[in-house]
């Protein structure tokens, strides 16, 4: 158990819909990262927040957005969903330096 | 910018045989290097990390990796494979003290045959 929690574990929704994925980092970690993992694209970094502020941006679509709240939990919002957005979405957290600790992921299926 | 290349998307070994998963890195500064393991339907779990101390790093589950600057490599090894080692393995690199720029390799799927 990494100490990072993600909800929900599974999500099935239709094209065009909007969903919110939630992540709680390890106690004391200020950084939260979001990744998308799909069979064809592999593990793709989406975005990082540090203590409530956006720190780094990766291959995140404009239809996707994220935020980190004062209690350090983070949400990833995915809108106007397309079939190709079906993937595993991981959250990770880290202390100020060093390795990232990954949550168990949310499996999103868009039908 | 830094990057890693994992040689071989699939590796198959027999139970009890040596496991060798290859990772080469590219970095303009002395890097931090990591190996993660992902079991089916789970998140990534840290196996070991190199952060410029000892070049031979020991991790969990009997795995180890050696940082070789001259070869820009950080290969993962285990002397004797177990069936439970079957998983996907990811190599990752980041600049020192800056893990918000961690780059992952494409992954190597390890199969262990009985």
């Amino acid at each position: 158990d990494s100490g990072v929690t993600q909800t929900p574990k599974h999500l099935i929704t239709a094209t065009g819909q909007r969903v919110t994925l939630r992540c709680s980092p390890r106690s004391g970690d200020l950084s939260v990262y979001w990744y998308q993992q799909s069979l064809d694209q592999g593990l793709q970094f989406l975005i990082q927040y540090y203590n409530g502020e956006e720190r780094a941006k990766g291959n995140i679509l404009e239809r996707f957005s994220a935020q980190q709240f004062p209690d350090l939990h983070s949400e990833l919002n995915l809108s106007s969903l397309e079939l190709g957005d079906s993937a595993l979405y991981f959250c990770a957290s880290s202390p100020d330096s060093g390795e990232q600790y990954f949550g168990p992921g949310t499996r999103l299926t868009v039908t | 910018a830094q990057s890693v290349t994992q040689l071989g998307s699939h590796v198959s070994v027999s139970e009890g045989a040596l496991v060798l998963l290859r990772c080469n890195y590219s970095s303009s500064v002395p890097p931090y290097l990591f190996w993660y393991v992902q079991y089916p339907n789970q998140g990534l779990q840290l196996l070991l990390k190199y952060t410029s101390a000892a070049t031979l790093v020991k991790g969990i589950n009997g795995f180890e990796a050696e940082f070789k600057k001259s070869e820009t490599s950080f290969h993962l090894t285990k002397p004797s494979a177990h069936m439970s080692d079957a998983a996907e393995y990811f190599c990752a690199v980041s600049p020192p003290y800056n893990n918000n720029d961690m780059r992952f390799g494409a992954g190597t799927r390890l199969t262990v045959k009985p």
Side-chain angles (χ1 to χ4, degrees), chain A residues 14-45:
Chain A
T15 55
Q17 295 299 303
R18 172 190 167 95
V19 297
T20 297
L21 313 183
R22 195 180 193 278
C23 168
S24 292
R26 295 186 327 150
S27 176
D29 286 355
L30 299 180
S31 279
V32 168
Y33 309 76
W34 285 98
Y35 292 86
Q36 179 193 60
Q37 186 180 39
S38 60
L39 282 174
D40 53 343
Q41 299 273 1
L43 191 65
Q44 299 279 322
F45 167 66

Side-chain angles (χ1 to χ4, degrees), chain B residues 4-114:
Chain B
V4 288
T5 302
Q6 291 184 240
L7 302 173
S9 58
H10 290 86
V11 170
S12 181
V13 300
S14 297
E15 193 174 18
L18 171 72
V19 175
L20 171 60
L21 304 182
R22 300 177 188 272
C23 172
N24 286 90
Y25 70 90
S26 172
S27 180
S28 56
V29 297
Y32 282 5
L33 291 157
F34 308 84
W35 275 100
Y36 285 84
V37 61
Q38 184 181 25
Y39 298 104
N41 300 312
Q42 294 187 27
L44 278 70
Q45 179 185 356
L46 181 69
L47 271 178
L48 50 80
K49 62 178 179 180
Y50 166 78
T51 56
S52 74
T55 56
L56 182 62
V57 182
K58 294 188 185 299
I60 62 171
N61 302 339
F63 284 94
E64 62 182 38
E66 186 171 8
F67 173 71
K68 291 188 176 180
K69 184 178 178 181
S70 60
E71 299 177 9
T72 61
S73 69
F74 190 58
H75 301 332
L76 182 70
T77 60
K78 182 174 180 178
S80 176
H82 292 196
M83 297 297 292
S84 60
D85 294 327
E88 184 113 22
Y89 292 80
F90 292 90
C91 182
V93 63
S94 76
Y97 307 110
N98 185 13
N99 60 355
N100 61 317
D101 194 16
M102 184 177 285
R103 306 293 175 95
F104 286 84
T108 297
R109 182 166 300 277
L110 175 66
T111 303
V112 182
K113 298 174 292 186

Side-chain angles (χ1 to χ4, degrees), chain A residues 55-76:
Chain A
R55 174 68 68 92
K57 230 171 183 176
N59 300 322
I60 188 165
L61 300 172
E62 283 190 17
R63 300 182 285 109
F64 296 0
S65 65
Q67 54 184 326
Q68 187 179 26
F69 295 87
D71 67 352
L72 301 178
H73 91 271
S74 178
E75 292 181 355
L76 179 68

